[in-house]
Amino acid sequence: MNRIFNFNAGPSTIPLEVLKKAQEELIDYNGHGLSIMEASHRSKLYEEVHNGAISLIRELYGVPMDYDILFLQGGASLQFAMIPMNLYMGGVAEYVDSGSWSSKAIKEAEIQGINYRVVASSKDTTYDRIPENIEFSDNADYAYITSNNTIYGTEYHEFPITKAPLIIDASSDIFSYPIDWSRVGMIFAGAQKNAGPSGLTIVIIKKELVARGGDKIPTMLKYKTHADKNSLFNTPPTFGIYILNLILHWIKDNGGIEAIAKNNQKKAKLLYDAIDNSGGFYVGHAKRESRSLMNVSYNIKNSDGTNNSALEAKFVQEATDAGMIGLKGHRSIGGLRASIYNAMSLEGVETLVEFMDKFQRENS
Ligand SMILES: *Cc1c(COP(=O)(O)O)cnc(C)c1O
């Protein structure tokens, strides 16, 4: 078997134990003589997987009972449109612009012609930080943030306290640390970064927000449709939910979300220390206080402080040859990016850090 270290931003690495279990059960699930992929979404067999995933999310993430847990499709990107459609009530919607994904969410508010306001942005500094001095108004219909900016490698280390329901795009940091639910109206994520394969979107939403959706919303785009039917209004992405279920079991077996969070801190520290201790050879994109524990974006610098893109390309190539893929930065900022989601092992980060040290010695 030849498993590489996969630092891709998404779809991204999945725990080997989960893949092995899925492989083992692929042809004959639990002695039933068929794959879960082939089972009816109305069968008892599938129901256990579906409800098992929901109750594991509730248990591990500590989701209070006044929130619905929904399994939708259309990616996190469809949520950008569903949020204004369902949650805007004719007042004002407020957004923080902390990167490309926030901008895309704002664009959907614009398209729908709702009254919205961008209350803070870090665009002027190439999104190198979570904007400071964020001030949401108390009477907004909702307040919107992106908890982890996958491209720029920045992350909120605490959610803002808002009177308006806080809506959080946690596509790239869901299940990576415990949540203070008292601050949350809704959290959503495309599963393919930290929670499974693409094709599944997880939405955890306060019931009182579900109730907002009006009669003019197309059936499939209305949270209430899915909440009323336990996400079985139509065929859900059953295989993705099955893998999510296995990943949740993996989180539980590894001590739960607090233990996972500790491990994430350890991994991120190792990598940021390597960057900080490189004497300016490697330089992180994000300001220190905004650094993401999930996506580490950095550059290789010339002595005059400019990016050495030739050396960055060489780094990516040699890392690939050494069994580490996905380290090329997003095209919008270039450079390097290591995505070190829950499923990336400490060993993977250690291997990367050793490689970085060797690469620096050979090329400076
Ligand atoms: C990847 C990503 C998205 C887009 O997710 P899709 O499921 O591809 O639509 C949205 N927001 C964030 C923060 C992301 O990282």
Side-chain angles (χ1 to χ4, degrees):
M1 190 173 62
N2 173 35
R3 287 285 292 176
I4 51 173
F5 289 118
N6 177 1
F7 293 93
N8 271 315
S12 45
T13 193
I14 287 178
L16 182 59
E17 295 91 325
V18 167
L19 295 175
K20 279 188 169 160
K21 179 91 174 156
Q23 181 183 46
E24 196 184 291
E25 295 179 336
L26 187 66
I27 291 175
D28 180 0
Y29 176 76
N30 264 346
H32 292 280
L34 81 173
S35 158
I36 199 72
M37 247 191 296
E38 303 166 287
S40 162
H41 62 296
R42 309 283 175 208
S43 65
K44 209 165 168 294
L45 199 64
Y46 174 70
E47 214 168 76
E48 276 169 21
V49 169
H50 189 93
N51 292 334
I54 293 171
S55 56
L56 270 172
I57 290 176
R58 209 174 280 286
E59 173 193 333
L60 294 170
Y61 224 13
V63 181
M65 288 313 290
D66 57 334
Y67 290 75
D68 282 316
I69 298 170
L70 308 178
F71 297 143
L72 309 181
Q73 302 190 56
S77 300
L78 183 59
Q79 293 310 304
F80 299 165
M82 279 176 70
I83 287 159
M85 240 177 233
N86 284 266
L87 305 183
Y88 180 66
M89 298 193 299
V92 62
E94 296 186 330
Y95 287 79
V96 174
D97 174 25
S98 58
S100 316
W101 295 115
S102 311
S103 310
K104 286 183 175 156
I106 292 164
K107 190 172 172 211
E108 296 298 319
E110 172 75 31
I111 287 171
Q112 287 178 44
I114 70 163
N115 180 28
Y116 74 90
R117 189 155 56 213
V118 177
V119 294
S121 172
S122 49
K123 191 173 183 185
D124 289 349
T125 53
T126 328
Y127 298 120
D128 66 347
R129 68 196 75 184
I130 298 302
E132 289 129 27
N133 308 318
I134 301 171
E135 287 202 28
F136 292 109
S137 37
D138 288 348
N139 57 357
D141 288 346
Y142 61 85
Y144 183 102
I145 64 168
T146 310
S147 53
N148 185 70
N149 298 279
T150 323
I151 295 173
Y152 301 94
T154 64
E155 189 173 22
Y156 288 76
H157 295 301
E158 205 177 317
F159 296 149
I161 299 174
T162 60
K163 274 248 172 66
L166 184 64
I167 312 300
I168 304 169
D169 176 0
S171 288
S172 47
D173 64 352
I174 192 168
F175 305 143
S176 71
Y177 50 84
I179 296 285
D180 176 359
W181 290 97
S182 71
R183 298 193 183 180
V184 176
M186 162 178 159
I187 276 193
F188 68 97
Q192 69 272 19
K193 277 131 191 173
N194 225 353
S198 60
L200 165 65
T201 309
I202 302 157
V203 173
I204 307 174
I205 179 171
K206 251 192 161 157
K207 287 179 193 284
E208 67 190 44
L209 293 177
V210 170
R212 278 191 191 180
D215 295 341
K216 291 286 182 287
I217 304 171
T219 311
M220 277 297 287
L221 301 180
K222 196 152 110 171
Y223 292 122
K224 192 164 185 307
T225 303
H226 303 286
D228 285 350
K229 299 287 182 192
N230 190 31
S231 302
L232 288 160
F233 171 76
N234 72 325
T235 320
T238 55
F239 193 71
I241 293 165
Y242 161 72
I243 299 289
L244 167 67
N245 183 313
L246 294 182
I247 288 177
L248 293 164
H249 277 289
W250 175 83
I251 291 175
K252 189 170 176 169
D253 292 345
N254 282 278
I257 289 183
E258 272 184 35
I260 293 278
K262 272 212 185 101
N263 198 41
N264 286 336
Q265 277 177 0
K266 195 163 159 190
K267 288 182 296 176
K269 181 171 186 328
L270 198 59
L271 187 43
Y272 284 119
D273 281 351
I275 291 170
D276 293 342
N277 296 331
S278 71
F281 183 79
Y282 300 110
V283 174
H285 177 74
K287 290 271 171 237
R288 203 174 272 264
E289 59 282 3
S290 294
R291 283 174 163 177
S292 167
L293 302 191
M294 296 282 101
N295 308 95
V296 180
S297 295
Y298 57 112
N299 287 92
I300 298 177
K301 296 288 185 181
N302 293 307
S303 47
D304 66 358
T306 55
N307 295 339
N308 189 333
S309 43
L311 213 47
E312 287 167 346
K314 187 174 179 215
F315 181 101
V316 170
Q317 185 53 54
E318 289 185 7
T320 305
D321 296 343
M324 287 167 277
I325 67 151
L327 289 161
K328 191 173 176 344
H330 189 271
R331 59 190 179 279
S332 56
I333 46 169
L336 308 169
R337 172 177 52 177
S339 297
I340 51 173
Y341 299 122
N342 287 354
M344 173 54 65
S345 60
L346 182 61
E347 187 200 352
V349 179
E350 284 167 350
T351 307
L352 173 61
V353 163
E354 274 163 36
F355 173 82
M356 284 166 61
D357 183 48
K358 176 166 160 286
F359 187 84
Q360 182 178 358
R361 277 186 277 111
E362 289 170 357
N363 292 282
S364 55

